[in-house]
Amino acid sequence: MATLNGMISFSGKLGDLVFYNRGKTKVVRQQVKSYQLSENSKKSGRDFGAASRTAAYIGAAFSPLVKRYADGDLVNRLNKKAMEIFKSIPKEHAGNKKLVDGDLGQLRGFEFNVVAPLSKLLFQPLGAKMQSDGILELEFSKTKLEQFIRVIPNASCAVLQLMVFNFELDGEHCELINVNDMEIPLNLTDFPGAKLMLKTTQKGARALIIALGISYLSKGILSDDKRYYGCHISHAWHLQDGVEVEFIPLVEEKIEVVEKVGGISWEMG
């Protein structure tokens, strides 16, 4: 904004300049130009919004584990992971991308606390298998305790926590299964193994995500040392009527131009 001094006086508009009076002062300002987003920008914005909503949905479902295990950057990292999943969706879906078309498996291994990856505390991966009747079978094998979990100083007990989030990819129905904590005394020589059978709904297109965490008790109090608690997404499946759907990435075909050697040439002269 500028003020006018001198003999010349304007009012109204001149090009992209607007002249008007503010009290006894003559003022000029440049008219704000409207900006129209390109169609591609609008599509990118819609897909970004869909990815952000997906991250928020998953984060809210696992909120008890987020509260217990999350580092300060979990929300940003989960948003970034959701964007990577949406980027795996073919370009022809731009502006209308949906999670059902993306590589849901990219969620596997997502850490809630990057300071302590779960594999540094829990040495045996969780076995998981979906049966034909919708029963989810989870299992840890019998082994030596020191080969199963890390034994940390001054801790008396390890606590395993597990949640399952099972939701429709093209609807609103969801199941959230919160399993009771498994407490493992650290004075054991062997871990006896453990098995769990969970009934899940498997009609239609669904996502099934398993999050697993471990923390430690010392005199009945949970350790708040970030080095000694961890949680990650151990499984992330896209299921169709209980059968895992394999994601097949779209491979862009490259046309190779081969320069020919020799051939027929003009005879000059």
Side-chain angles (χ1 to χ4, degrees):
M1 182 183 70
T3 57
L4 295 176
N5 295 311
M7 299 294 294
I8 300 176
S9 178
F10 296 98
S11 65
K13 295 171 61 178
L14 180 63
D16 63 348
L17 300 178
V18 179
F19 299 85
Y20 60 98
N21 294 325
R22 177 176 290 176
K24 296 182 179 181
T25 304
K26 299 183 183 298
V27 181
V28 59
R29 64 176 173 80
Q30 190 170 25
Q31 187 176 17
V32 177
K33 296 181 179 180
S34 60
Y35 178 73
Q36 296 294 329
L37 290 174
S38 68
E39 188 59 31
N40 285 339
S41 295
K42 292 178 181 178
K43 289 180 179 179
S44 296
R46 289 195 293 269
D47 293 337
F48 178 83
S52 298
R53 288 191 295 273
T54 295
Y57 188 46
I58 294 171
F62 289 117
S63 58
L65 299 182
V66 169
K67 183 178 180 180
R68 174 68 189 99
Y69 297 100
D71 58 26
D73 197 39
L74 180 140
V75 173
N76 290 332
R77 291 188 296 103
L78 188 54
N79 275 326
K80 183 179 179 181
K81 181 60 67 176
M83 285 301 303
E84 291 173 1
I85 293 172
F86 273 69
K87 285 180 181 178
S88 71
I89 300 172
K91 294 179 181 179
E92 55 262 32
H93 295 288
N96 192 34
K97 291 185 176 182
K98 298 178 181 179
L99 184 61
V100 68
D101 299 312
D103 183 9
L104 192 62
Q106 291 192 39
L107 281 171
R108 284 193 294 267
F110 178 82
E111 299 287 348
F112 286 40
N113 174 23
V114 294
V115 175
L118 188 67
S119 61
K120 300 295 185 182
L121 302 172
L122 178 65
F123 305 140
Q124 184 184 130
L126 173 68
K129 181 170 62 175
M130 180 62 68
Q131 298 181 0
S132 58
D133 57 358
I135 297 295
L136 175 62
E137 182 180 344
L138 305 175
E139 184 176 15
F140 287 113
S141 301
K142 179 180 178 179
T143 186
K144 294 292 185 183
L145 185 69
E146 61 186 17
Q147 296 175 347
F148 182 63
I149 57 174
R150 181 177 176 183
V151 178
I152 67 170
N154 302 319
S156 57
C157 181
V159 181
L160 287 184
Q161 295 179 303
L162 185 143
M163 292 182 68
V164 178
F165 186 32
N166 174 35
F167 61 94
E168 286 184 323
L169 289 168
D170 53 3
E172 297 181 354
H173 178 265
C174 67
E175 294 176 334
L176 188 59
I177 304 172
N178 197 344
V179 178
N180 292 335
D181 294 352
M182 182 197 302
E183 295 190 1
I184 307 168
L186 297 183
N187 59 1
L188 296 178
T189 301
D190 297 317
F191 173 70
K195 182 179 291 187
L196 184 64
M197 311 289 276
L198 300 174
K199 178 64 177 177
T200 66
T201 301
Q202 287 307 321
K203 184 178 179 180
R206 305 186 71 89
L208 190 144
I209 304 172
I210 303 173
L212 176 66
I214 186 172
S215 54
Y216 293 86
L217 290 173
S218 178
K219 296 181 180 180
I221 300 174
L222 281 171
S223 171
D224 60 358
D225 189 329
K226 287 186 177 182
R227 297 173 299 170
Y228 301 137
Y229 59 81
C231 179
H232 77 189
I233 292 176
S234 62
H235 297 79
W237 294 331
H238 174 186
L239 301 170
Q240 180 66 43
D241 297 323
V243 178
E244 185 175 3
V245 178
E246 181 183 359
F247 178 79
I248 302 176
L250 183 65
V251 179
E252 295 184 3
E253 294 184 5
K254 294 183 179 181
I255 301 176
E256 184 178 356
V257 178
V258 180
E259 185 177 348
K260 293 184 178 180
V261 179
I264 303 173
S265 301
W266 288 92
E267 181 180 342
M268 305 300 292

